[in-house]
Amino acid sequence: MIEERSNPQGHTRQPTVALFVTCLADLFRPSVAFASIKLLERAGCSVIVPTQQTCCGQPAYNSGDYEATTPLAKQVIAMLEPADYVVVPSGSCAGMICHHYPRLLEGEWQQRARDLATRTYELTTFLADIAPLPRSKVKTAALPPVTYHDSCAGLRELDIREQPRRLLREVCGIEVNEMQQTDVCCGFGGTFCAKMPEISAKMASDKVHNAVATGARILTGGDLGCLLNLAGRARRLGETIEVRHVAELLSGDLAVPAIGEGN
Amino acid sequence: MEMHSQAFLENAREALGDPEKTRRRGLLAAFTPMVRNAAMESFGKFEPLRQHLRRVRQHTLDNLDHYLDRFEQEALSNGNHVHFAMDGEEMNRIVLEICQRHSARRIAKGKSMVTEETGLSRHLQGAGLNVTETDLGEYIIQQAGEPPSHIVGPALHKSAAEVRDLFLARHDLGERELEETSQLVQEARGVLRQRFLEADVGIIGANALVAENGYSMLVTNEGNGDLCANLPPVLIVCTTLERILPRAEDATAMMRLLVRSATGQPHTCYTSFYSGPRREQDTDGPIETHFVLLDDKRTDILASDYREMLQCIRCGACLNHCPIYAAAGGHAYGAVYMGPMGSVLTPLLTSLEESHLLPNACTSCGRCAEVCPSGIPLPDLLRDLRQAEQAAKLSPPRWRTGLKLHAWLARHPRLYHGLTALGIPLLHRLGRRRGSFSKLPLAGGWTSQRDFPAPQRKTFMQAYAGVLKAEKKRRRHD
Ligand code: SF4
């Protein structure tokens, strides 16, 4: 549970939550960020969106360019530090801040990275465990059967598995149709999907087939990277399953076309 | 398939082009983790034992000289000969010399990845010796003239039908029925029995060397290791320095994790300790025994940032849990070691120039590290190797500059937001109707296999600036 804070004048105030939008949501799917803001406000947080934010640096970092990532990581830390909490609608970007910044940086910056890591959460974890979302705010009838893709970074770096399922149950009143091999990667892997396209596509196809086999009409998840990959592959395979970020489901924003769908 | 690591992508493409084999790899990739997980669940002590072993192995590596000395002394006093080989060539030479000293003609060989590494069988055969691989999987691929596709199950890529055809072609046994897998096993057993009895020298590997008593430990399911070790008059144990553990109890502790991780069994059918030559009161056993301990870059790795890799116990769990290994198959790696552990080891054992592509065969999904009984942070080591790759300017220049430029832009928010605010709305307009692109300039890697989802109308930052402005206006009006 989050606690109210007192400001320097001694007045209690709502805790501030800085939303780290992630570059993919910024560029491809602002609706994820708007849904996140809505959800956080509904959970009683005062949300700020630092306007200097861009990207957490994963593309360079994962490709081994630590040199180019380091100054970017410092910039992100300095920007996010003033908030009480940082919330990220992505397991892999939250994992980058929580696990990889401290690994990348040294000395004083490593300390600052560690401190920030203790206050940084992936969206569904935050809404499930830290600032519980009030139940039943969306019309449940509107949701067709849903299956959930666990992103690897969320699952293994941040232990996110049960949180989004709990939220979908409590907020939307639906049980997830579980697919086979939920713990296997979808083949996105950042630049991997472009460096090794055939292998990546095989992994994505397996995931899409497993998702379709559940009978779900919506494939959701907490990481836009995976979802763009899966939506793109599903379209190529001619599968019509809708792909949407879990924040959109939780906030009831189903009017926007699903990922990769036209309007 | 080309047997070099830089052909990984082409090899993988070729492997994926065979739907039946791809399907079988998929089945194995679903099955092996299930067995391993069931074994670990009923065991219930995976995490504490893994932590314990990690500490023991770290301590051993920190004091490698001490434990090697101790092992050598103990092994010598048990009556063994102990040799150290700096590289594969030296190991091969030492083994050949021993064989020649005994005028050996026939060699019965157990499974050993180290001798795969050094190409020992080829070397001995080149000198006119007759080498029989006696592990069933190794025997099959020896007959087929193929390299192993998996470090534990070298012939996992072969179907029963392929093995049947192979045996029919290679064994001169006339008309016979070979429909059942059990018949195949029976036939191999019959052929191999003869080879054990004829052998002049037995060669085996080791899962561990025990410093306190100078023994080596070997686990097998077929018992072929014991036959190689006990029937021929001469035994040669080939292994590497880092197999060493301080005490016998450390070796058995390791075995509890190794076997469950490898095959999901609580223990293998045979676990043997080899002490040395036959003593006076013994009725069987070899007359002369040798240990050949290979360094081949191990001490370099020990001194490097990749030393954790020396804790690998070769269980193969990381291969079984790697979706890229499952998609590409073991042969695609073009190397002795494959999968996540292979993608770390190969560049370290060969050179970065020869195999820098392999550390890129990773999505950092972390499934390997999660199950690795040695607690090796494989995705971190692979990323560090990519760092070495890019520092040595071996990665494609296009990627290198592109990613640097992206990171630089990301540090200049005004420019970044300005540029994306121009590009994204344009992309949106182009892709709005269909919702995604089937082709897009500069995104060929992506669109060769999947559609490229079109972005929404504006970037978030653009849209949010609008929201903030409207709010300000509203406040001014209130
Ligand atoms: S790296 Fe770990 S999981 Fe892979 S073979 Fe070695 S010990 Fe087993």
Side-chain angles (χ1 to χ4, degrees):
Chain A
M1 226 0 170
I2 52 170
E3 287 154 22
E4 297 200 320
R5 307 289 167 121
S6 49
N7 63 16
Q9 287 79 41
H11 302 133
T12 56
R13 58 173 178 82
Q14 283 175 309
T16 57
V17 172
L19 180 71
F20 189 72
V21 173
T22 78
C23 64
L24 289 179
D26 174 31
L27 301 183
F28 288 91
R29 217 155 161 85
S31 54
V32 173
F34 283 115
S36 305
I37 295 174
K38 208 196 274 182
L39 289 166
L40 289 167
E41 285 177 345
R42 214 185 272 163
C45 305
S46 142
V47 183
I48 48 168
V49 184
T51 51
Q52 296 298 300
Q53 60 178 301
T54 55
C55 165
C56 68
Q58 276 187 91
Y61 178 73
N62 286 331
S63 297
D65 194 342
Y66 298 167
E67 194 193 333
T69 318
T70 304
L72 180 56
K74 291 179 182 169
Q75 203 166 307
V76 174
I77 292 170
M79 173 185 75
L80 295 176
E81 271 172 337
D84 297 321
Y85 295 98
V86 175
V87 171
V88 191
S90 151
S92 77
C93 307
M96 178 73 181
I97 296 174
C98 293
H99 291 280
H100 297 285
Y101 282 3
R103 186 174 184 270
L104 179 72
L105 301 170
E106 288 167 355
E108 182 219 325
W109 278 102
Q110 188 176 54
Q111 276 315 316
R112 290 170 71 171
R114 287 210 180 112
D115 169 61
L116 185 66
T118 62
R119 298 180 284 123
T120 300
Y121 294 89
E122 179 274 342
L123 179 72
T124 62
T125 311
F126 191 76
L127 294 174
D129 299 338
I130 310 297
L133 198 58
R135 297 160 178 224
S136 300
K137 285 280 175 105
V138 275
K139 287 185 261 74
T140 56
L143 273 185
V146 169
T147 189
Y148 197 89
H149 166 60
D150 294 299
S151 82
C152 296
L155 185 64
R156 278 177 277 264
E157 287 177 359
L158 303 168
D159 241 332
I160 305 167
R161 200 189 133 72
E162 159 276 336
Q163 301 88 327
R165 289 168 173 79
R166 176 148 46 101
L167 289 174
L168 285 168
R169 186 180 312 126
E170 291 179 355
V171 179
C172 306
I174 52 160
E175 281 299 326
V176 164
N177 286 10
E178 295 294 349
M179 60 174 126
Q180 296 281 310
Q181 300 200 294
T182 48
D183 66 330
V184 178
C185 176
C186 71
F188 173 61
T191 53
F192 172 85
C193 69
K195 284 183 184 164
M196 304 204 164
E198 291 87 358
I199 300 176
S200 165
K202 161 75 175 125
M203 293 160 71
S205 296
D206 288 351
K207 187 62 72 182
V208 169
H209 291 144
N210 283 336
V212 170
T214 63
R217 294 295 311 133
I218 297 183
L219 165 59
T220 189
D223 268 82
L224 212 40
C226 311
L227 298 178
L228 289 165
N229 175 41
L230 291 171
R233 187 64 191 163
R235 299 235 14 171
R236 184 62 57 94
L237 292 171
E239 295 290 355
T240 53
I241 192 164
E242 281 185 18
V243 182
R244 291 179 183 276
H245 193 280
V246 67
E248 297 171 355
L249 262 56
L250 292 172
S251 70
D253 292 343
L254 294 173
V256 286
I259 299 171
E261 303 272 311
N263 50 2
Chain B
M1 294 256 166
E2 291 182 52
M3 270 315 278
H4 62 91
S5 308
Q6 290 303 95
F8 177 73
L9 273 184
E10 293 88 77
N11 291 348
R13 235 173 260 147
E14 195 184 320
L16 284 167
D18 183 333
E20 177 49 26
K21 291 210 152 137
T22 303
R23 190 187 65 86
R24 282 220 319 273
R25 287 199 301 278
L27 290 179
L28 268 176
F31 177 71
T32 44
M34 251 162 49
V35 200
R36 180 254 168 214
N37 291 344
M40 286 306 176
E41 233 156 71
S42 64
F43 179 50
K45 283 174 281 208
F46 175 67
E47 200 48 49
L49 191 53
R50 141 154 112 169
Q51 294 304 337
H52 168 73
L53 263 171
R54 235 175 108 75
R55 280 194 298 274
V56 171
R57 305 262 310 166
Q58 264 162 7
H59 164 83
T60 318
L61 290 173
D62 289 343
N63 302 283
L64 192 61
D65 288 355
H66 166 77
Y67 287 112
L68 278 176
D69 278 350
R70 178 78 196 275
F71 175 81
E72 188 185 11
Q73 280 164 26
E74 297 296 332
L76 287 173
S77 72
N78 294 340
N80 296 282
H81 300 262
V82 181
H83 315 259
F84 289 91
M86 277 314 292
D87 55 21
E89 234 171 78
E90 193 176 352
M91 172 177 261
N92 292 349
R93 197 172 58 239
I94 293 170
V95 173
L96 180 60
E97 274 168 18
I98 299 169
C99 294
Q100 285 170 339
R101 208 160 45 241
H102 290 272
S103 312
R105 307 279 324 139
R106 296 190 182 84
I107 315 291
K109 195 172 155 296
K111 181 166 160 24
S112 144
M113 288 311 290
V114 173
T115 59
E116 280 299 332
E117 222 183 280
T118 68
L120 178 67
S121 297
R122 259 195 324 279
H123 184 74
L124 298 180
Q125 272 158 341
L129 299 182
N130 190 333
V131 182
T132 306
E133 295 286 352
T134 61
D135 169 85
L136 182 56
E138 287 285 344
Y139 178 71
I140 292 169
I141 58 168
Q142 187 188 32
Q143 296 310 308
E146 290 173 11
S149 62
H150 189 286
I151 59 172
V152 175
L156 279 176
H157 61 287
K158 288 245 172 276
S159 67
E162 285 175 283
V163 175
R164 183 187 330 118
D165 292 345
L166 192 65
F167 281 8
L168 287 173
R170 305 280 304 181
H171 297 158
D172 195 8
L173 293 170
E175 281 284 309
R176 62 206 187 275
E177 180 127 346
L178 274 184
E179 286 314 307
E180 302 294 320
T181 313
S182 59
Q183 289 170 322
L184 292 171
V185 174
Q186 267 315 319
E187 176 159 320
R189 185 178 299 207
V191 172
L192 287 172
R193 261 308 125 122
Q194 198 50 38
R195 305 293 170 83
F196 286 123
L197 292 170
E198 297 165 351
D200 306 307
V201 172
I203 298 177
I204 60 171
N207 295 99
L209 299 171
V210 181
E212 69 175 356
N213 57 18
Y215 293 4
S216 67
M217 182 183 78
L218 184 71
V219 295
T220 69
N221 267 328
E222 297 159 26
N224 65 307
D226 289 339
L227 295 176
C228 287
N230 287 319
L231 293 180
V234 180
L235 168 67
I236 308 174
V237 180
C238 292
T239 189
T240 44
L241 305 182
E242 83 276 14
R243 293 293 125 224
I244 195 127
L245 283 168
R247 300 163 302 177
E249 113 187 27
D250 301 323
T252 50
M254 181 199 77
M255 189 197 67
R256 302 173 82 189
L257 278 191
L258 168 67
V259 181
R260 286 182 174 85
S261 301
T263 59
Q265 299 162 285
H267 36 73
T268 41
C269 301
Y270 301 88
T271 301
S272 309
F273 285 90
Y274 303 106
S275 55
R278 171 193 307 194
R279 291 158 303 180
E280 249 165 54
Q281 67 274 29
D282 294 341
T283 49
D284 59 5
I287 295 169
E288 190 178 301
T289 56
H290 297 260
F291 283 104
V292 188
L293 306 184
L294 176 68
D295 181 323
D296 198 23
K297 305 251 173 91
R298 266 66 178 184
T299 43
D300 296 346
I301 299 175
L302 189 64
S304 76
D305 292 337
Y306 303 98
R307 71 171 346 200
E308 276 163 301
M309 201 55 222
L310 293 180
Q311 296 183 23
C312 170
I313 57 175
R314 308 287 192 265
C315 71
C318 58
L319 280 61
N320 297 341
H321 287 76
C322 177
I324 291 149
Y325 171 83
H331 287 156
Y333 293 77
V336 175
Y337 300 107
M338 56 294 284
M341 57 82 78
S343 296
V344 176
L345 266 181
T346 308
L348 300 176
L349 293 179
T350 60
S351 71
L352 205 54
E353 285 74 20
E354 286 166 81
S355 41
H356 62 91
L357 204 57
L358 295 185
N360 290 284
C362 172
T363 60
S364 300
C365 80
R367 212 169 167 229
C368 52
E370 189 176 50
V371 297
C372 173
S374 310
I376 302 172
L378 293 154
D380 288 339
L381 298 184
L382 288 166
R383 194 186 308 100
D384 289 348
L385 281 164
R386 296 197 287 278
Q387 201 262 326
E389 178 201 29
Q390 87 98 38
K393 296 204 172 11
L394 291 165
S395 51
R398 195 165 44 94
W399 278 105
R400 225 166 39 237
T401 10
L403 290 164
K404 267 215 192 308
L405 183 67
H406 177 264
W408 182 87
L409 262 181
R411 282 170 52 210
H412 297 83
R414 284 180 64 136
L415 186 58
Y416 180 95
H417 292 146
L419 286 174
T420 53
L422 287 176
I424 291 295
L426 178 69
L427 207 56
H428 167 77
R429 273 199 298 281
L430 292 173
R432 172 175 51 191
R433 182 91 50 80
R434 199 174 163 268
S436 50
F437 302 90
S438 55
K439 269 210 188 82
L440 204 63
L442 299 177
W446 178 285
T447 54
S448 69
Q449 302 292 331
R450 25 182 136 45
D451 286 8
F452 188 91
Q456 290 173 339
R457 218 154 55 82
K458 292 174 175 175
T459 69
F460 171 78
M461 285 303 169
Q462 245 176 324
Y464 190 65
V467 172
L468 289 181
K469 211 187 260 167
E471 215 164 84
K472 222 186 214 168
K473 209 162 165 196
R474 210 194 51 224
R475 257 191 237 132
R476 222 178 299 134
H477 277 275
D478 289 348

